[in-house]
Amino acid sequence: MSLRPAVFFDRDGNLNEEIGYAGDPDRIRLLPGAAEAVRAVREAGMPAVVISNQSGIARGLLTVEQVETVNARVLGLLAAEGAAVDALYYCPHHPEGEIAAYAIACECRKPAPGLLQRAAAEHGIDLPASYVVGDKVSDVQLAHAVGGRGVLVQTGYGPREREKAVAQGVKIDHVANDVLDAVRWILTEAG
């Protein structure tokens, strides 16, 4: 199998509105352009993969079932607009969590590369040629951890995270207004 680049999308604040620890699927709303962005990636022949830290599970604020119900809602909203993702992965861990089974330092919590490595193994993805799009510095750092490129959107936590990146000296490969703007840049770059 020949490897191909992918676009990895953070979920909250990137594809859907940021509402904090999202446990109620009825509160989930896609951000404008999210479905169009996912469709464009797939039409370009690239896998579209959602990756998300869900530390609310480790913190005892959300159950696995709530996170999976919200994930299903996001995928359903995308599907209603003709967009589908190739896979969705999430990390339930946090080293300072309250729920012992999830209170661990792991290799899947962004910016650690575990979720991307799993996706690469399961979907034939060329990680150094791939992109990560999200609203946090950890999304950009995740891209760099596998040799890829990180795009910071200015939705969700993006504006404050941009300042954080500058303060920490984290190089952002591109700053986009939103996820659709990010994908347009990626498709031009991947050309």
Side-chain angles (χ1 to χ4, degrees):
M1 170 192 331
S2 63
L3 300 180
R4 56 196 173 137
V7 178
F8 293 93
F9 294 98
D10 176 51
R11 193 187 79 180
D12 303 325
N14 188 46
L15 292 176
N16 57 273
E17 293 175 0
E18 175 60 58
I19 59 170
Y21 294 103
D24 180 358
D26 292 335
R27 294 186 59 211
I28 301 301
R29 304 282 180 271
L30 288 182
L31 285 168
E36 185 179 347
V38 170
R39 277 196 315 269
V41 167
R42 297 285 306 279
E43 288 168 3
M46 298 170 76
V49 179
V50 177
I51 45 148
S52 183
N53 282 347
Q54 292 298 321
S55 70
I57 295 171
R59 296 174 194 273
L61 302 171
L62 298 170
T63 65
V64 169
E65 293 76 18
Q66 285 176 302
V67 169
E68 291 182 356
T69 300
V70 168
N71 285 341
R73 170 76 171 164
V74 171
L75 297 180
L77 290 171
L78 288 168
E81 293 189 41
V85 300
D86 292 271
L88 184 151
Y89 302 96
Y90 68 91
C91 170
H93 308 115
H94 193 282
E96 298 170 13
E98 299 292 320
I99 307 299
Y102 300 108
I104 62 170
C106 64
E107 284 301 313
C108 62
R109 180 171 172 74
K110 297 184 287 183
L115 295 178
L116 268 59
Q117 291 166 340
R118 180 175 164 202
E122 293 177 3
H123 297 279
I125 295 171
D126 180 353
L127 291 177
S130 294
Y131 300 82
V132 178
V133 180
D135 67 328
K136 292 191 174 174
V137 171
S138 60
D139 296 308
V140 174
Q141 291 170 319
L142 172 62
H144 296 164
V146 296
R149 300 181 78 186
V151 181
L152 184 71
V153 295
Q154 294 300 285
T155 52
Y157 293 117
R160 84 169 191 207
E161 290 285 306
R162 187 175 185 183
E163 292 173 15
K164 181 177 167 184
V166 170
Q168 293 179 355
V170 175
K171 177 185 174 276
I172 301 169
D173 295 293
H174 184 70
V175 175
N177 292 329
D178 57 27
V179 69
L180 182 56
D181 185 36
V183 164
R184 287 177 175 147
W185 179 81
I186 289 167
L187 295 179
T188 299
E189 285 292 300

